[in-house]
């Protein structure tokens, strides 16, 4: 596909999504502001640049080493970019994550939270932190189990440098996601946290109706990913 066509497609997809998001938010009980995170993992650089040139600021990546291949250079050209880390965070990648990312959506255990808190104290950087909840109790999935959320939130709230903002979930595949989104909304209210990262290409409108403030959308913007997911 020519560059020009690529650019038009990505820009058009973003425009359509922004409109759908605005509609879903207007129809939700909460009338919340919703941030569209363009999930650029495993997408070609030309498509990422097309989104940047269309004026989009928020991007999501799920692997630190992949993200560092292009975002430091792109941030020089597009300084207003806001980066969200949405994948499983390994301990040895914490300092890169805190240095390069404005938000981390996937905190799910106390030792990770403590190490991030230490890094925030040492660097003065304070990315927005989301606790990932394994709402479906799925053994293969990251996220803290629902029964451990209460203790974990309290532990995080006692960490002085941790900028705890809300919750994130990825509902199980192949079932209606609304119960999971509703559960996460309840948690946000219970702990008075403002942000909810939930909803992807296939279910973002449902997520917004149930209070999502951040939707993470990849394929509906950029098309199918290259290689593994
Ligand atoms: C890949 C990914 C997405 C985007 O999924 P799409 O179906 O392409 O919209 C959202 N959230 C997380 C955590 C992801 O890893």
């Amino acid at each position: 596909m020519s560059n020009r066509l690529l650019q038009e497609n990505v820009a058009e997809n973003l425009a359509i999504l922004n409109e759908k998001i605005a509609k879903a938010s207007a129809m939700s009980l909460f009338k919340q502001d919703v941030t569209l995170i363009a999930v650029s993992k495993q997408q070609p650089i030309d498509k990422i640049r097309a989104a940047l040139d269309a004026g989009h600021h928020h991007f999501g990546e799920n692997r630190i080493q992949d993200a560092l291949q292009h975002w430091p250079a792109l941030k020089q050209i597009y300084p207003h970019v806001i980066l969200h880390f949405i994948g499983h965070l390994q301990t040895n990648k914490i300092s890169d994550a805190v240095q390069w990312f404005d938000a981390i959506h996937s905190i799910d255990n106390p030792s990770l939270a403590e190490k991030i808190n230490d890094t925030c104290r040492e660097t003065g950087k304070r990315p927005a932190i989301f606790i990932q909840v394994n709402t479906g109790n799925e053994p293969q999935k990251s996220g803290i189990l629902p029964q451990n959320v209460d203790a974990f939130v309290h532990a995080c709230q006692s960490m002085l440098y941790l900028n705890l903002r809300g919750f994130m979930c990825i509902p199980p595949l192949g079932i209606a996601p609304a119960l999971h989104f509703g559960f996460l909304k309840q948690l946000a209210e219970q702990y008075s946290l403002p942000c909810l990262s939930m909803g992807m290409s296939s279910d973002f409108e449902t997520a917004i109706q149930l209070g999502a403030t951040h939707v993470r959308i990849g394929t509906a913007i950029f098309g199918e990913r290259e290689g593994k997911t």
Side-chain angles (χ1 to χ4, degrees):
M1 208 185 291
S2 77
N3 265 354
R4 172 114 187 275
L5 249 181
L6 253 182
Q7 251 166 11
E8 284 173 0
N9 278 347
V10 169
E12 189 182 325
N13 291 343
L14 280 167
I16 291 168
L17 282 166
N18 278 322
E19 197 168 309
K20 286 184 177 170
I21 287 168
K23 267 195 194 136
S25 164
M27 280 169 55
S28 100
L29 273 179
F30 312 109
K31 311 275 183 279
Q32 75 276 29
D33 285 335
V34 179
T35 299
L36 169 55
I37 300 171
V39 177
S40 50
K41 66 183 186 197
Q42 292 148 43
Q43 295 290 352
I45 194 84
D46 288 348
K47 290 189 180 177
I48 298 174
R49 290 192 77 127
L52 288 160
D53 288 335
H56 196 75
H57 296 313
H58 289 266
F59 290 84
E61 291 281 347
N62 73 336
R63 287 162 155 266
I64 300 285
Q65 58 271 49
D66 292 351
L68 292 189
Q69 282 183 6
H70 46 253
W71 283 110
L74 286 172
K75 270 199 148 188
Q76 305 257 314
I77 312 170
Y78 303 91
H80 300 300
V81 158
I82 297 171
L83 291 182
H84 299 256
F85 186 72
I86 60 172
H88 177 68
L89 184 56
Q90 293 164 299
T91 309
N92 64 349
K93 298 290 190 312
I94 288 174
S95 64
D96 282 332
V98 169
Q99 177 178 354
W100 289 104
F101 286 83
D102 304 282
I104 301 174
H105 290 236
S106 45
I107 302 307
D108 64 1
N109 71 76
S111 93
L112 188 60
E114 261 160 39
K115 290 187 176 111
I116 292 172
N117 184 57
D118 289 345
T119 307
C120 291
R121 185 180 56 231
E122 286 157 14
T123 61
K125 297 215 163 203
R126 298 189 71 202
I129 300 295
F130 293 72
I131 291 175
Q132 182 175 353
V133 184
N134 185 352
T135 57
N137 275 287
E138 294 175 279
Q140 82 287 7
K141 203 169 259 179
S142 300
I144 191 147
L145 294 175
Q147 67 265 32
N148 299 330
V149 165
D150 190 60
F152 188 40
V153 170
H154 287 117
C156 288
Q157 283 176 332
S158 73
M159 297 179 198
L160 281 182
Y161 298 89
L162 202 69
N163 180 19
L164 182 63
R165 302 291 291 163
F167 295 99
M168 179 272 225
C169 76
I170 308 170
L173 280 176
I175 60 137
L179 274 177
H180 296 262
F181 296 151
F183 174 69
L184 217 64
K185 174 66 179 166
Q186 244 181 349
L187 286 182
E189 307 227 307
Q190 183 178 343
Y191 297 104
S192 302
L193 290 171
C195 298
L196 277 178
S197 169
M198 55 189 198
M200 308 180 19
S201 290
S202 59
D203 56 15
F204 68 92
E205 284 160 308
T206 307
I208 291 168
Q209 278 161 25
L210 289 157
T213 60
H214 293 70
V215 293
R216 310 176 308 266
I217 300 184
T219 46
I221 298 170
F222 298 112
E224 290 302 322
R225 283 179 277 278
E226 297 177 331
K228 59 195 186 309
T229 50

